[in-house]
Amino acid sequence: MVPVDNSAEAEVTEGIRVFGMRHLAEVVAYLRAPEQFQPFTPAPPATLPADASTPDFRDVRGQATTKRVPEVAAAGNHNVLLM
C-alpha cells in the first residue's frame, strides 16, 4: 500500500501488487475486505506525434553539461527556469 500519487512509481518493482490509497480510511477498508480492491494498473504512456519543426535535444551539438541540467530535472519531475 502506497499513497495513490506514488502508485505508478511503485509499480515499477516486479513481483508485487501495488494498492494506491487516498486516505487511512481506505487502508482500514482494505484490511477488512481486501477482495474488494484491485491492484494498481499503469496507463500506457501517452505519445505525441513527431513533428519535424519541434526542437529536440538530438539537434543540439556539444554543451553536454548544459543539456544535462534539464535532463536531470525532467527525470526527477522538477521545474526548470530557463533565462
Side-chain angles (χ1 to χ4, degrees), residues 5 8 13 18 57 60 65 75:
D5 293 338
T13 306
V18 176
F57 267 152
V60 179
T65 304

Side-chain angles (χ1 to χ4, degrees), residues 51-62 67:
D51 183 6
S53 65
T54 304
D56 194 338
F57 267 152
R58 291 178 287 182
D59 299 333
V60 179
R61 302 286 183 233
K67 289 186 344 184

Side-chain angles (χ1 to χ4, degrees), residues 34-49:
E35 66 280 350
Q36 295 179 359
F37 288 83
Q38 296 295 321
F40 174 79
T41 53
T47 56
L48 298 175

Side-chain angles (χ1 to χ4, degrees), residues 69-79:
V69 172
E71 288 173 354
V72 170
N77 202 20
H78 300 289
N79 297 320

